[in-house]
Amino acid sequence: MGKFDNKVVIVTGASSGIGASTAITFAREGAKVVVTGRNQERLNETSEKCKAVGAENFQILEVVADLEKFKNLESLVKKTVDKFGGIDILINNAGYARAETIETIELDTYEKIFNANLRAPVFLCKYALPHLKKTKGCVVNVSSCASLTAGPGGVPYSMTKIALDHFTRGFSAECAPFGVRVNCVNPAATDTRFGDNMNVTKEMFEKMLENFMKRQPLGVIKPQQISDAIVFLCQSPVITGINLPIDAGMLNAPAM
């Protein structure tokens, strides 16, 4: 028996990193998992890994979708309910970042960051809520420690994560009367493919990770360490409205 037998879980950004790890963890525990992302090949890889830990074909639904496009948000919820009959858990993990200063950023990039990191989670919550009410389900939003610190080159990204943190707290208060819980995790630097989406070279990204290592006494975080925290929040019946930093000691480390 798994901890999430027959629970229906949507995981956005499930083609790699934290999303893939989270989908696989839920699959291992018996859930029916909807994996969504923009890359079909990588989604297939995630699905195969879900099956490798015990999921049957009928327990996995792949939805290739760009959640920056508004029409895909309600469609994702509809496809999930059409396939599985309901929703128990929503994991808003998909995100987008670019290394831009306020001086260099253009409107299309600004909108892309906000649409992916904030509009998508907000409206997925809106469309999923009627189904979550029926199951007394839960939401976990994946924010970032970037919402808790400030620095050059990532202000728009940080802005979306600060807003996502506050949305989590406010939405949790709206949902509590229905028995629906809403929480958030705030990872520091994590070993994912997130750098692929940033306008930086491999060398620049490696330098960024090196700098993070100096700020994170416990080192760069593994995706499974984030997904373990996500699953914990989904299991607890009395935790709601929190932002949980998973920072490898960064927030308490001396400034460099």
Side-chain angles (χ1 to χ4, degrees):
M1 296 288 289
K3 296 174 183 175
F4 294 94
D5 281 348
N6 297 314
K7 299 294 186 182
V8 178
V9 184
I10 298 175
V11 183
T12 71
S15 55
S16 64
I18 294 168
S21 177
T22 302
I24 294 163
T25 301
F26 276 115
R28 183 184 295 114
E29 294 295 340
K32 299 172 182 176
V33 184
V34 181
V35 293
T36 186
R38 293 176 296 182
N39 188 299
Q40 177 72 74
E41 183 178 352
R42 291 182 187 171
L43 280 185
N44 289 341
E45 291 174 5
T46 300
S47 294
E48 290 306 311
K49 290 177 181 177
C50 288
K51 295 171 189 175
V53 298
E56 302 288 345
N57 285 333
F58 72 88
Q59 292 177 287
I60 306 297
L61 173 64
E62 291 183 19
V63 179
V64 179
D66 182 353
L67 298 185
E68 294 163 24
K69 297 180 179 178
F70 189 74
K71 65 179 182 180
N72 290 336
L73 303 177
E74 190 169 14
S75 174
L76 172 60
V77 171
K78 183 177 186 305
K79 288 176 180 178
T80 300
V81 175
D82 287 348
K83 170 72 173 178
F84 293 126
I87 302 170
D88 294 277
I89 298 170
L90 170 62
I91 309 298
N92 283 311
N93 167 72
Y96 180 77
R98 299 281 284 184
E100 299 276 5
T101 67
I102 296 302
E103 184 178 28
T104 63
I105 196 167
E106 300 293 341
L107 179 60
D108 59 342
T109 302
Y110 178 90
E111 290 180 338
K112 196 176 180 72
I113 293 169
F114 271 77
N115 289 347
N117 296 352
L118 188 59
R119 186 175 73 175
V122 168
F123 279 88
L124 282 175
C125 285
K126 171 185 171 67
Y127 297 133
L129 183 56
H131 308 287
L132 294 170
K133 286 180 180 179
K134 293 176 183 177
T135 60
K136 295 192 183 300
C138 65
V139 177
V140 178
N141 297 315
V142 179
S143 180
S144 168
C145 275
S147 72
L148 307 171
T149 61
V155 174
Y157 175 80
S158 296
M159 289 164 62
T160 63
K161 295 304 185 179
I162 293 167
L164 186 61
D165 289 356
H166 196 66
F167 168 72
T168 297
R169 293 188 290 270
F171 188 51
S172 73
E174 293 183 0
C175 291
F178 308 111
V180 176
R181 295 177 300 103
V182 186
N183 289 297
C184 188
V185 294
N186 297 65
T190 305
D191 184 14
T192 71
R193 304 176 74 161
F194 199 59
D196 293 353
N197 295 325
M198 301 174 70
N199 57 330
V200 295
T201 64
K202 181 180 178 181
E203 291 73 21
M204 290 170 65
F205 188 69
E206 288 176 351
K207 182 65 175 177
M208 288 170 60
L209 285 180
E210 181 183 332
N211 289 334
F212 280 125
M213 284 289 286
K214 295 176 183 177
R215 298 175 62 196
Q216 295 181 197
L218 299 182
V220 173
I221 301 161
K222 299 297 183 185
Q224 185 65 54
Q225 294 168 318
I226 306 299
S227 58
D228 286 346
I230 290 170
V231 169
F232 164 74
L233 290 174
C234 292
Q235 287 181 273
S236 175
V238 291
I239 297 177
T240 195
I242 71 161
N243 301 107
L244 177 62
I246 307 169
D247 68 340
M250 182 189 76
L251 297 175
N252 286 325
M256 299 300 294

